[in-house]
Amino acid sequence: MKFLTTALIIFAIFLFCSCDEGLSPGSGITIEPGFSGKIIFKGDWPQDIQTTYIVLFKDSLKSSADFNALNLKYVSTEIPEGTKEFEFNTLTDISFGLVESGKYAYLAVAQSTSPVLSLVRSAWRVAGIYEEGSGQLPSGMIVIPENKFLSNVEITCDFDNPPAQPPN
């Protein structure tokens, strides 16, 4: 009987000391960083648009020189012309790049007048910019925490009221 009591006490201590986090990331389960959500398009699509993508830049676009492949961290699959609502997921809808945890300066929907994906800044215009819900981050900025996948990221593209454009 003493053996059974001692074994139960040892088991209870082991259980109490080792099970405090459940299935947390520290328990060997990792969560791929990234984000998902939807783009809402309002108004009539511009006639001169050839391609539309979700783009993510690491650093701000202060000049046309910042519109480059080293700064560009993610490009979605192409968004079909005339779409009214487009759902996306950075883990599955990839044309270029994988999203890692960190702070990104510019998440937007960009449209090009060129049928070929290029980094010529003058061929691009911004149709919508991500606005973080609490209003604590600057326009376009998104922060992806370590071991976190953000859902319900939403961008509105209002063709009748376009956002401010980055420098040409």
Side-chain angles (χ1 to χ4, degrees):
M1 185 71 165
K2 268 186 170 182
F3 174 74
L4 184 58
T5 304
T6 304
L8 284 174
I9 290 172
I10 291 172
F11 178 73
I13 291 170
F14 174 77
L15 189 63
F16 179 74
C17 292
S18 64
C19 292
D20 61 344
E21 294 185 35
L23 293 175
S24 71
S27 65
I29 297 175
T30 57
I31 298 172
E32 291 290 323
F35 53 93
S36 66
K38 67 181 174 180
I39 310 297
I40 298 168
F41 295 92
K42 296 179 178 180
D44 295 328
W45 280 60
Q47 295 297 312
D48 61 340
I49 293 303
Q50 298 290 317
T51 56
T52 303
Y53 298 94
I54 301 165
V55 294
L56 180 66
F57 287 91
K58 183 68 176 166
D59 299 317
S60 297
L61 301 176
K62 296 178 181 172
S63 75
S64 60
D66 296 324
F67 198 82
N68 65 62
L70 296 176
N71 193 16
L72 185 61
K73 298 302 177 187
Y74 170 81
V75 178
S76 71
T77 54
E78 186 174 344
I79 300 171
E81 181 181 348
T83 299
K84 292 296 181 192
E85 193 170 291
F86 181 79
E87 293 189 12
F88 65 91
N89 183 321
T90 61
L91 297 179
T92 57
D93 305 334
I94 305 167
S95 174
F96 168 82
L98 291 173
V99 176
E100 298 176 344
S101 58
K103 183 166 81 171
Y104 296 89
Y106 203 71
L107 172 61
V109 175
Q111 297 185 305
S112 178
T113 55
S114 171
V116 180
L117 184 60
S118 75
L119 288 174
V120 176
R121 170 62 190 99
S122 60
W124 290 92
R125 75 176 70 120
V126 176
I129 301 173
Y130 172 67
E131 299 290 340
E132 183 259 340
S134 72
Q136 295 185 11
L137 296 176
S139 184
M141 184 176 284
I142 188 168
V143 177
I144 310 294
E146 194 76 33
N147 286 318
K148 188 113 179 185
F149 185 86
L150 302 178
S151 55
N152 300 318
V153 170
E154 193 170 295
I155 300 173
T156 299
C157 299
D158 184 349
F159 296 124
D160 296 327
N161 188 22
Q165 299 297 303
N168 265 332

